[in-house]
């Protein structure tokens, strides 16, 4: 609800002066509305809405802003130049309603008439401009026509004067033509006319002679162009980039006739595609690497090296299901592993990597038991590379994570049943077992809030926000912990949730300013990820701002 604003007023025989202090509100947010018996001034969160004692002339009203005060001059109607004695009309609700409806209808009619006048004036102005433009064009056209007529008259006069000379020159030239058609003398004064006549005669003679010449034989020449996927010149400088583009977008280009032709661009060596996939993978372009490895596997389905590399790319992209499939397929191709890798040591290294990736992929899908089994299989395989330490780290961390996850699941169940104290104990136990497991910490903030423990909620929320802001890519974190950490989008969603809970906790402590700051930060992050709760957060911000404004006005 808007707050009723303060005002003072004065009157003379022909004017009413209303003074409204804006109380720091920006002038751009002030809206003044007048009707014959209505004055309405909105300057959020304040509103002045007056039913005037008598009618005014809306067209003659003025509003002046000076020194933070809005001065409104209302012109009384010509037939009411007397002192009103009071500003507002006093009557029953029905009378006030009828007067307001009548005033609004009159204003709407005046606005409509004014718009019609503006439209008519615009049409008249356009017509006037068009007429001026037409007059200018007619004047210019007349000038051009007069110039053409003058040139025509001058040419005719010159031609009439030259007729006798033309007759004499024509007679002499015809006699010369009979004796020698190849040698013709043309008068210098009229050489253009006689040259044209001579040219026509010579053309006729040449055409007669050409009829006896033999025709040239017709030869058909066929031009063939190299078929190309790209509508650009075939240059060596762009060929490499075009091939890389094809590999990156292999799936989308399956319907292309050139890619599916026998001798088309798809006739690639599978090892070349595998090499390109390795290049993409080293550059961090895992999607393109997957397309290149898939291309190599289409050409040679027994290329287990490409299959294992593709599984690694899926793991980097956190696509556990696809990684599990590729790892299981690769481990099932024993003969292909033996033919692809020459030594026993290389075969063991490949199998160990597959089991390691398989265990991590199972953990991504929260199939921790299967993940532990895969890590155990990887630990059994003996090889010289330093995969042993990584496997041991994964097994150690997974053991801790499984215990912490059991405590967390138990706490979630208790929280849903309303057993807040027991849920708080289980969340705390989960964090004691695995301090890196952020899920129980975030859920414990909700538990604190439900128990109206603002201090605990603020402490846990700040700790969780700090943990989310830190990167898990480093020597201080196990490899599996870094992999199982939240994605960037999930982090941002959790940050929005934590900021909202932090705002609620601060509100419990009557820290409205801090609560408002947390909500505004939450709204900023929610807009960034198109969170569906952004509108609800914005409404909470508006409510909180109104509460702050009310408190300031009271103080």
């Amino acid at each position: 609800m808007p707050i009723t604003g303060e005002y003072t007023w004065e009157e003379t025989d022909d004017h009413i002066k209303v003074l409204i202090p804006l109380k720091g509100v920006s002038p751009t947010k002030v809206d003044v509305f007048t009707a014959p018996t209505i004055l309405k001034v909105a300057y959020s969160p304040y509103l002045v809405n007056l039913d005037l004692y008598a009618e005014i002339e809306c067209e003659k009203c003025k509003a002046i802003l000076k020194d933070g005060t809005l001065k409104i001059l209302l012109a009384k109607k010509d037939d009411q130049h007397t002192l009103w004695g009071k500003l507002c009309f006093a009557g029953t609700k029905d009378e006030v309603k009828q007067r307001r409806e009548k005033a609004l209808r009159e204003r709407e009619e005046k606005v409509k008439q004014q718009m019609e006048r503006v439209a008519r004036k615009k049409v008249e102005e356009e017509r006037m401009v068009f007429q001026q433009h037409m007059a200018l064009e007619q004047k210019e056209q007349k000038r051009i026509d007069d110039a053409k007529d003058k040139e025509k008259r001058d040419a005719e006069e010159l031609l009439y004067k030259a007729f006798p000379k033309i007759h004499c020159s024509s007679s002499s030239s015809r006699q010369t033509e009979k004796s020698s058609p190849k040698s013709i003398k043309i008068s210098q004064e009229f050489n253009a006319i006689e040259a044209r006549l001579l040219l026509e005669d010579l053309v006729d003679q040449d055409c007669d002679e050409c009829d006896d010449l033999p025709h040239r034989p017709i030869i058909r020449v066929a031009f063939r162009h190299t078929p190309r996927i790209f509508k650009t010149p075939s240059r060596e400088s762009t060929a490499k980039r075009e091939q890389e583009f094809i590999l990156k977008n292999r799936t989308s280009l399956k319907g292309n006739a050139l890619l599916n032709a026998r001798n088309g661009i798809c006739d690639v060596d599978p090892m070349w595609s595998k090499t390109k996939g390795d290049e993409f993978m080293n550059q961090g372009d895992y999607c393109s690497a997957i397309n290149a490895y898939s291309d190599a596997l289409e050409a040679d389905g027994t290329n287990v090296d490409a299959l294992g590399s593709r599984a690694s790319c899926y793991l980097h992209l956190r696509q556990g299901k696809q990684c599990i499939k590729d790892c299981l397929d690769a481990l099932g191709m024993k003969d292909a592993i033996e033919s692809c890798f020459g030594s026993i040591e290389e075969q063991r290294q490949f199998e160990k990597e597959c089991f390691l990736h398989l265990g991590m992929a199972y953990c991504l899908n929260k199939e921790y038991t299967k993940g532990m089994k895969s890590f155990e299989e990887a630990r059994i395989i003996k090889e010289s590379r330093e995969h042993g330490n990584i496997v041991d780290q994964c097994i150690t961390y997974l053991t801790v994570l499984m215990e912490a996850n059991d405590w967390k699941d138990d706490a979630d169940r208790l929280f849903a049943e309303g057993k807040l104290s027991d849920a708080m104990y289980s969340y705390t136990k989960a964090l004691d077992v695995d301090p890196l497991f952020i899920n129980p910490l975030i859920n414990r903030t909700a538990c604190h809030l439900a128990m109206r423990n603002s201090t605990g909620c603020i402490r846990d929320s700040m700790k969780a926000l700090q943990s989310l802001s830190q990167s898990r890519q480093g020597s201080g974190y196990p490899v599996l912990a870094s992999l199982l950490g939240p994605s960037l989008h999930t982090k941002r969603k959790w940050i929005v949730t934590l900021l909202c809970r932090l705002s609620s906790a601060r509100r419990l402590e009557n820290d409205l300013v801090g609560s408002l700051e947390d909500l505004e930060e939450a709204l900023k992050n929610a807009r960034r990820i198109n969170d569906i709760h952004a509108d609800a957060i914005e409404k909470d911000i508006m409510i909180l701002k109104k509460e702050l404004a009310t408190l300031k006005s009271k103080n």
Side-chain angles (χ1 to χ4, degrees), residues 256-487:
N256 192 292
L258 290 176
L259 286 176
N260 294 324
R262 176 181 292 274
N263 296 322
I265 201 166
C266 71
D267 254 352
V268 211
D269 182 7
M271 293 309 298
W272 181 86
S273 297
K274 168 67 170 60
T275 304
K276 294 301 296 183
D278 294 340
E279 291 179 8
F280 288 134
M281 187 175 179
N282 293 332
Q283 295 169 4
D285 189 357
Y286 299 112
C287 293
S288 302
I290 288 172
N291 289 332
Y293 291 138
S294 301
D295 191 48
L297 288 167
E298 284 182 7
D300 181 9
T302 62
N303 193 338
V304 289
D305 195 10
L307 193 60
S309 299
R310 190 172 72 174
S312 179
C313 291
Y314 281 131
L315 190 64
H316 279 93
L317 295 176
R318 305 171 69 90
Q319 298 181 13
K321 185 177 180 180
Q322 291 85 342
C323 180
I324 292 170
K325 183 179 182 304
D326 281 359
C327 289
L328 292 176
D329 291 345
L331 290 170
M333 300 165 65
K334 298 293 185 182
D335 296 337
I337 294 175
E338 293 177 1
S339 61
C340 185
F341 301 100
S343 64
I344 300 296
E345 182 67 22
E346 290 178 347
Q347 295 175 18
R348 290 177 178 175
Q349 288 177 2
F350 177 77
E351 290 179 351
K352 190 159 191 170
E353 286 181 1
C354 285
F355 277 118
L356 180 62
H357 293 161
L358 182 62
M360 291 181 175
Y362 276 131
C363 291
L364 272 177
N365 288 0
K366 296 186 178 181
E367 300 179 61
Y368 299 128
T369 305
K370 292 183 179 179
M372 181 65 76
K373 185 178 179 181
S374 299
F375 289 141
E376 293 291 347
E377 291 287 346
R379 186 161 61 177
I380 293 172
I381 300 174
K382 303 294 183 182
E383 45 91 21
S384 59
R385 289 177 62 180
E386 296 182 357
H387 281 117
N389 293 335
I390 297 177
V391 173
D392 291 339
Q393 288 179 8
C394 290
I395 292 175
T396 303
Y397 179 72
L398 184 57
T399 304
V400 172
L401 178 63
M402 290 173 69
E403 182 182 355
N405 191 66
D406 290 340
W407 280 108
K408 182 251 180 190
D409 290 342
D410 184 56
D412 291 343
R413 179 183 57 80
L414 292 170
F415 184 79
E417 293 174 357
K419 301 176 181 178
L420 301 181
S421 300
D422 295 339
M424 182 71 67
Y425 174 79
S426 296
Y427 284 135
T428 304
K429 289 294 293 183
L431 290 169
D432 291 340
V433 173
D434 183 8
L436 299 178
F437 196 17
I438 195 172
N439 300 65
L441 181 61
I442 295 175
N443 291 357
R444 194 170 70 175
T445 60
C447 197
H448 279 303
L449 204 58
M451 298 173 70
R452 305 187 69 80
N453 180 9
S454 58
T455 304
C457 182
I458 293 173
R459 183 185 64 249
D460 283 356
S461 297
M462 296 297 292
K463 185 177 178 182
L465 288 170
Q466 183 180 3
S467 178
L468 289 173
S469 64
Q470 296 175 351
S471 174
R472 293 197 174 195
Q473 304 296 329
S475 57
Y477 290 93
V479 177
L480 188 58
S482 301
L483 177 67
L484 298 182
S487 63

Side-chain angles (χ1 to χ4, degrees), residues 129-360:
V129 172
F130 180 73
Q131 289 174 352
Q132 293 174 354
H133 182 68
M134 289 296 295
L136 185 63
E137 282 192 352
Q138 289 174 359
K139 183 178 178 181
E140 182 67 16
Q141 186 65 38
K142 187 176 182 302
R143 187 188 66 79
I144 295 172
D145 293 340
D146 293 343
K148 286 182 178 180
D149 292 339
K150 185 177 180 303
E151 290 179 1
K152 183 179 180 182
R153 287 194 300 272
D154 295 342
E156 288 177 351
E157 290 176 2
L158 181 63
L159 185 61
Y160 291 146
K161 291 177 181 179
F163 269 153
K165 296 179 182 180
I166 293 174
H167 181 69
C168 296
S169 177
S170 299
S171 300
S172 61
S173 62
R174 293 299 180 186
Q175 292 173 2
T176 307
E177 181 181 358
K178 290 178 181 179
S179 59
S180 178
K182 296 292 183 177
S183 59
I184 301 173
K185 293 182 179 180
I186 304 173
S187 171
Q188 291 183 355
E189 187 175 0
F190 306 101
N191 56 356
I193 298 173
E194 290 299 319
R196 183 175 57 81
L197 295 172
L198 177 61
L199 183 61
E200 291 176 356
D201 294 340
L202 292 178
V203 169
D204 293 338
Q205 292 178 13
D206 291 340
C207 290
D208 294 338
E209 293 176 0
C210 290
D211 290 340
D212 299 332
L213 295 176
H215 294 287
R216 291 179 181 178
I218 298 175
I219 299 176
R220 296 187 180 276
V221 180
F223 294 92
R224 293 195 306 168
H225 302 279
T226 304
R228 291 179 51 73
I229 294 176
F230 302 94
K231 296 180 180 181
T232 56
S234 179
R235 298 177 181 175
E236 294 181 0
S237 60
T238 61
K240 182 179 179 181
R241 284 182 294 175
E242 290 175 4
Q243 290 173 355
E244 290 181 356
F245 175 83
I246 292 168
L247 283 175
K248 288 181 180 181
N249 300 275
R250 184 73 181 176
T251 307
S252 303
L253 296 173
K254 287 297 183 183
N256 192 292
L258 290 176
L259 286 176
N260 294 324
R262 176 181 292 274
N263 296 322
I265 201 166
C266 71
D267 254 352
V268 211
D269 182 7
M271 293 309 298
W272 181 86
S273 297
K274 168 67 170 60
T275 304
K276 294 301 296 183
D278 294 340
E279 291 179 8
F280 288 134
M281 187 175 179
N282 293 332
Q283 295 169 4
D285 189 357
Y286 299 112
C287 293
S288 302
I290 288 172
N291 289 332
Y293 291 138
S294 301
D295 191 48
L297 288 167
E298 284 182 7
D300 181 9
T302 62
N303 193 338
V304 289
D305 195 10
L307 193 60
S309 299
R310 190 172 72 174
S312 179
C313 291
Y314 281 131
L315 190 64
H316 279 93
L317 295 176
R318 305 171 69 90
Q319 298 181 13
K321 185 177 180 180
Q322 291 85 342
C323 180
I324 292 170
K325 183 179 182 304
D326 281 359
C327 289
L328 292 176
D329 291 345
L331 290 170
M333 300 165 65
K334 298 293 185 182
D335 296 337
I337 294 175
E338 293 177 1
S339 61
C340 185
F341 301 100
S343 64
I344 300 296
E345 182 67 22
E346 290 178 347
Q347 295 175 18
R348 290 177 178 175
Q349 288 177 2
F350 177 77
E351 290 179 351
K352 190 159 191 170
E353 286 181 1
C354 285
F355 277 118
L356 180 62
H357 293 161
L358 182 62
M360 291 181 175

